[in-house]
Amino acid sequence: MLNESVIHVKGIGEKFCQQLVDMGIETIEDLMFHFPHRYDSYEIKPLSELIHDEKVTIEGEVIGEPSLTFFGKRKSRLVVQLQVEQVVVKAVMFNRAFAKKQLNQGDAVTMTGKWDQHRLQITVSHYKKGTAKSETSIQPIYPLKGSVTNQQLKKAIRTALNQYGEYIQELLPDQYLLEYKLPNRTQALKQMHFPTSFQALKHAKRRFTYEEFLLFQLKMQWIRKRTKEATVGNSQTYDQHKVQSFISSLPFPLTNAQDRSLREILDDMKSPYRMNRLLQGDVGSGKTAVAAICMYASITCGKQAALMVPTEILAEQHYQSLLDMFDGLAEVVLLTGSVKGKKRREVLEKIQEQKADIVIGTHALIQDEVVFKDLGMVIVDEQHRFGVNQRRILRDKGLMPDVLFMTATPIPRTLAISTFGDMDVSQIDEMPQGRKQVDTYWVKDNMFDRVLKFIEKEVDNGHQAYVICPLIEESDKLDIQNAVDLFTNLQHYFEPTIHVGLMHGRLQVEEKDEVMKQFASNDIQVLVSTTVVEVGVNVPNATVMVIYDAERFGLSQLHQLRGRVGRGASQSYCILIADPKGEVGKERMKIMTETTNGFELSEQDLQLRGPGDFFGKKQSGLPEFKVADVVHDYRALETARKDAHQLVNSGALETDPAYEKLNQLLTEDHILSGTLLD
């Protein structure tokens, strides 16, 4: 019934129906669950309780005649003096000249707007004659589109609830409603649209927050369980003695966090199910060492291992470091787009005949021509959520390897739970001993000359520097230093003694690789770049990271960029050139100078920017919740995850009648019909 078109709701004609469809509201259920995005409160409070700069509602009596001033084309300012609790309050209205005739001395009025405590003034956004008694104290404000008004939508929702309210089905079992003190679904829905009190609204929001998180986590846990069950017989019984011997041969002891993550991964490898795990660790925390040990464990089972990275230069760097690590213990080969002709044929042959134990490469690794004999482990480094298509390609090759993703973006626990809910997560949250912290400074633009002299001094000492800026070419919209201009300026400043290079996202892959090779070999001493330099490249000789217009970046991105330096034995420096206007920007710069802990920074970034901006809007991968907020409602998220895990893994979801509605909803959902697993 609720899946029928909104045209069946009384009072909705064809024109209004089409307007609603344009807003994404097609069914009666869509209409009922189109929630307000905020609520205006018309609760009258004493003047002494009003908060400066907040939206408030006051009642008063007009004293004297309102004063009207015109300025510019069709612009006006109306000032009305009100007597409120024996105090004179000034009410200011912009571009409402008509109100002068409506408001007369002695009239009682109710006005809502922004309160200025210091001037005893309200800037009015909404007013009505008479007292607030006849006004609803909490007014829902809906997201709208086109010519649909708030009043129209509110009326349609009220009619839909009256007409079809009896068909709303409860999804949550009584046990959860009682345990978490949640209202039932029908009550909560009515309170979301027509709240009787702030307390009732709060409970309704709590209910839908939990419901959204539970449904999402059930999907994640269900997919996870089904993926695991589809891969029984995937156990890798590695040689513990050999693996321990390999760990002992490393030139450094593992940190506690590395050791803990390693145990979690090795346990996954031994289990009969296919591994799907995320390993997060700050830049320099030692993820590669953990990856090497896991690949070696797979080799001791007689299998092959592959490491996929985003760029050729990174593949070459990993290849060199793993050759040193596996000295004689394993055959390591490199396969990238640059490996051509006879050399390529030889590498492909080695992979097919299992003469190659470990294959390092870019996405070239999953192309048709690459045939593994027995692939046991795939490790994907940096930013590649190894997607459904890639898994399908491996499966079509008859391969079901354990998969480990690695990222140097420290993701807060709340985001890791929601974004990677279908994966297990391991964290390396401590740094190896003896690693020098990067000294971070925040300076204003007028100190740029001093920064350049500092770069010069570091280069004279044999070191190198990055200079990062946000845009490639000049933009009228943003007054930001851009890479091309900056490159030209620095060339004039430093040459002929210091070579300056330029890198940005519009260069071809080969051009980027060439620039990075020149920088890695110190043919370029100062590299001007946009943020494409963020991922992975290891230049231990670079000791200075200058970030222009640093206020334009989030904390996590700044931290990633800072992680490009401090990779060698010398002391390194990060200099943020920024002149933030707002408090949030200033706070970000301050936090950057005070901490180098990526996980701490990511939590702060989440608080300051919200989840939508954390990964960047496009690739955030976050589900869009209507009511829930992964930052502020993290306790509900943890609870929902725990409940979902218990329901799915105990089998209660499918066998206990109390969960019948939840199970039915999930079974009907196309996500669970196999599309995500194909």
Side-chain angles (χ1 to χ4, degrees):
M1 187 65 79
L2 297 185
N3 286 329
E4 289 182 1
S5 165
V6 283
I7 196 90
H8 295 292
V9 176
K10 286 173 190 165
I12 295 183
E14 283 189 17
K15 186 184 172 189
F16 188 27
C17 175
Q18 187 52 52
Q19 289 174 320
L20 290 174
V21 168
D22 291 344
M23 286 173 64
I25 300 171
E26 296 183 16
T27 65
I28 296 162
E29 186 170 36
D30 290 341
L31 181 63
M32 286 179 170
F33 285 85
H34 186 78
F35 290 138
H37 61 91
R38 66 182 169 87
Y39 298 85
D40 278 351
S41 161
Y42 297 106
E43 186 182 13
I44 308 293
K45 291 181 180 175
L47 289 178
S48 59
E49 289 180 23
L50 301 185
I51 298 169
H52 179 66
D53 263 2
E54 288 214 347
K55 196 169 194 176
V56 301
T57 301
I58 58 172
E59 265 181 6
E61 184 183 309
V62 178
I63 50 176
E65 190 182 341
S67 152
L68 180 62
T69 317
F70 286 95
F71 54 97
K73 271 191 178 177
R74 296 188 297 280
K75 290 183 179 176
S76 66
R77 182 174 188 263
L78 183 68
V79 177
V80 185
Q81 304 285 351
L82 299 180
Q83 184 172 321
V84 184
E85 303 171 20
Q86 314 306 313
V87 175
V88 177
V89 170
K90 189 198 286 186
V92 180
M93 295 189 216
F94 289 99
N95 307 325
R96 296 195 194 175
F98 59 84
K100 186 176 192 303
K101 291 179 182 173
Q102 295 178 349
L103 300 171
N104 303 306
Q105 185 164 353
D107 283 350
V109 288
T110 304
M111 293 188 167
T112 298
K114 192 175 178 183
W115 178 243
D116 186 330
Q117 182 70 44
H118 313 305
R119 296 181 184 176
L120 285 179
Q121 176 180 307
I122 183 169
T123 305
V124 181
S125 59
H126 175 86
Y127 78 95
K128 69 182 274 292
K129 289 181 77 167
T131 60
K133 308 257 185 307
S134 58
E135 186 91 63
T136 313
S137 63
I138 307 169
Q139 195 70 16
I141 308 295
Y142 293 92
L144 302 168
K145 195 176 173 186
S147 55
V148 177
T149 67
N150 204 64
Q151 226 29 52
Q152 260 182 310
L153 194 59
K154 195 173 154 189
K155 186 181 174 188
I157 290 169
R158 190 186 294 276
T159 308
L161 284 170
N162 289 339
Q163 201 177 336
Y164 295 99
E166 64 188 285
Y167 298 105
I168 297 164
Q169 292 189 326
E170 181 56 75
L171 298 180
L172 303 179
D174 292 345
Q175 173 202 336
Y176 285 178
L177 297 180
L178 285 169
E179 189 179 343
Y180 302 133
K181 299 184 174 62
L182 300 173
N184 70 43
R185 207 161 189 243
T186 309
Q187 286 170 341
L189 197 55
K190 287 176 178 171
Q191 287 297 334
M192 287 296 289
H193 294 293
F194 308 105
T196 51
S197 70
F198 282 106
Q199 193 64 11
L201 176 60
K202 183 181 162 188
H203 286 306
K205 281 183 173 178
R206 245 180 9 96
R207 188 242 141 82
F208 284 115
T209 293
Y210 176 74
E211 182 183 298
E212 284 184 335
F213 281 154
L214 183 68
L215 288 172
F216 175 69
Q217 285 300 326
L218 281 170
K219 286 176 193 176
M220 288 289 106
Q221 301 289 340
W222 204 92
I223 289 166
R224 191 164 163 177
K225 182 170 186 275
R226 204 157 126 193
T227 309
K228 277 192 169 180
E229 286 172 354
T231 57
V232 176
N234 213 43
S235 174
Q236 297 198 52
T237 315
Y238 59 88
D239 186 321
Q240 291 186 358
H241 177 70
K242 280 185 178 176
V243 170
Q244 196 49 56
S245 172
F246 178 65
I247 294 169
S248 305
S249 74
L250 295 174
F252 45 79
L254 296 182
T255 62
N256 291 333
Q258 279 176 307
D259 198 46
R260 183 183 65 237
S261 297
L262 179 63
R263 279 201 310 275
E264 289 168 353
I265 297 164
L266 292 175
D267 284 350
D268 272 2
M269 288 173 70
K270 279 191 293 189
S271 87
Y273 304 116
R274 182 182 181 190
M275 174 168 68
N276 187 27
R277 184 175 284 277
L278 174 74
L279 175 64
Q280 9 167 193
D282 223 332
V283 171
S285 60
K287 296 185 297 299
T288 310
V290 171
I293 297 163
C294 300
M295 288 194 286
Y296 184 64
S298 196
I299 293 166
T300 68
C301 307
K303 293 187 178 284
Q304 293 168 292
L307 172 61
M308 266 174 51
V309 298
T311 65
E312 290 203 2
I313 187 161
L314 196 54
E316 284 170 22
Q317 288 187 339
H318 275 307
Y319 174 62
Q320 289 304 329
S321 63
L322 290 173
L323 271 181
D324 295 341
M325 250 187 208
F326 287 113
D327 188 23
L329 290 173
E331 176 71 19
V332 184
V333 297
L334 175 69
L335 186 66
T336 64
S338 299
V339 180
K340 293 187 168 77
K342 186 183 174 195
K343 176 77 177 155
R344 188 176 190 84
R345 286 195 299 277
E346 285 173 1
V347 170
L348 290 171
E349 202 174 292
K350 279 185 174 181
I351 296 169
Q352 189 165 0
E353 293 174 5
Q354 207 171 344
K355 288 176 182 168
D357 300 308
I358 292 173
V359 188
I360 317 290
T362 53
H363 257 75
L365 290 187
I366 55 168
Q367 288 171 355
D368 290 345
E369 60 176 347
V370 185
V371 181
F372 289 91
K373 188 168 183 188
D374 191 359
L375 184 62
M377 162 77 85
V378 173
I379 297 177
V380 187
D381 188 22
E382 262 325 328
Q383 289 193 347
H384 289 63
R385 277 296 307 273
F386 192 60
V388 177
N389 290 337
Q390 286 95 327
R391 283 188 206 170
R392 188 188 291 121
I393 290 166
L394 286 174
R395 197 182 64 193
D396 290 348
K397 291 183 175 192
L399 303 168
M400 291 296 260
D402 284 331
V403 182
L404 178 69
F405 308 91
M406 299 198 300
T407 177
T409 306
I411 301 161
R413 181 164 170 71
T414 45
L415 276 193
I417 287 172
S418 53
T419 316
F420 303 107
D422 57 333
M423 300 170 116
D424 295 300
V425 180
S426 293
Q427 286 187 347
I428 304 182
D429 49 10
E430 68 179 295
M431 299 300 269
Q433 278 188 330
R435 188 177 161 91
K436 286 183 180 169
Q437 288 198 340
V438 178
D439 288 347
T440 305
Y441 302 96
W442 165 29
V443 301
K444 300 282 177 70
D445 196 17
N446 58 9
M447 291 182 69
F448 193 46
D449 280 349
R450 282 180 64 182
V451 172
L452 293 181
K453 284 188 171 57
F454 180 71
I455 291 175
E456 214 165 0
K457 189 178 123 203
E458 283 293 301
V459 172
D460 286 346
N461 290 334
H463 299 306
Q464 290 165 272
Y466 294 95
V467 182
I468 307 292
C469 52
L471 286 183
I472 300 168
E473 287 160 4
E474 201 166 344
S475 159
D476 295 332
K477 291 179 187 170
L478 295 170
D479 178 25
I480 313 176
Q481 186 76 5
N482 65 69
V484 178
D485 277 359
L486 193 56
F487 168 65
T488 310
N489 293 344
L490 294 192
Q491 265 189 324
H492 288 315
Y493 184 90
F494 286 127
E495 288 193 343
T497 51
I498 294 172
H499 291 133
V500 183
L502 173 65
M503 182 146 97
H504 55 69
R506 291 189 193 165
L507 292 178
Q508 296 299 316
V509 175
E510 297 78 20
E511 293 174 301
K512 280 185 201 166
D513 278 350
E514 183 52 38
V515 173
M516 277 318 298
K517 277 175 187 165
Q518 288 179 22
F519 188 59
S521 60
N522 204 359
D523 294 332
I524 290 172
Q525 287 80 46
V526 176
L527 180 62
V528 176
S529 174
T530 53
T531 52
V532 289
V533 82
E534 249 180 281
V535 176
V537 179
N538 188 21
V539 182
N541 198 42
T543 57
V544 184
M545 168 61 70
V546 176
I547 305 173
Y548 223 103
D549 295 308
E551 72 271 22
R552 302 279 176 184
F553 301 101
L555 281 175
S556 297
Q557 204 175 16
L558 289 172
H559 182 63
Q560 284 286 296
L561 289 165
R562 174 167 63 185
R564 298 298 105 221
V565 296
R567 291 168 163 252
S570 304
Q571 179 59 52
S572 291
Y573 309 89
C574 177
I575 300 165
L576 308 169
I577 300 176
D579 193 5
K581 300 292 180 274
E583 287 308 309
V584 171
K586 287 174 185 167
E587 184 64 19
R588 280 219 294 267
M589 295 306 109
K590 196 161 153 284
I591 292 166
M592 278 298 294
T593 60
E594 287 170 358
T595 180
T596 53
N597 181 313
F599 287 97
E600 219 173 279
L601 278 168
S602 69
E603 290 288 353
Q604 302 253 25
D605 207 14
L606 197 52
Q607 298 295 338
L608 289 171
R609 301 203 299 161
D613 292 329
F614 189 82
F615 296 102
K617 286 260 188 298
K618 284 180 189 160
Q619 74 270 28
S620 77
L622 279 175
E624 288 205 14
F625 298 116
K626 288 183 180 180
V627 184
D629 178 319
V630 292
V631 182
H632 300 110
D633 304 321
Y634 68 92
R635 284 195 180 88
L637 177 59
E638 290 273 12
T639 305
R641 183 174 190 258
K642 176 178 63 70
D643 291 344
H645 186 268
Q646 194 271 326
L647 282 181
V648 169
N649 289 294
S650 66
L653 185 65
E654 290 157 297
T655 56
D656 191 328
Y659 307 109
E660 187 184 347
K661 286 282 182 288
L662 278 176
N663 188 41
Q664 192 181 334
L665 192 74
L666 290 169
T667 310
E668 286 167 4
D669 194 317
H670 72 278
I671 289 182
L672 301 187
S673 63
T675 38
L676 234 151
L677 301 171
D678 283 346

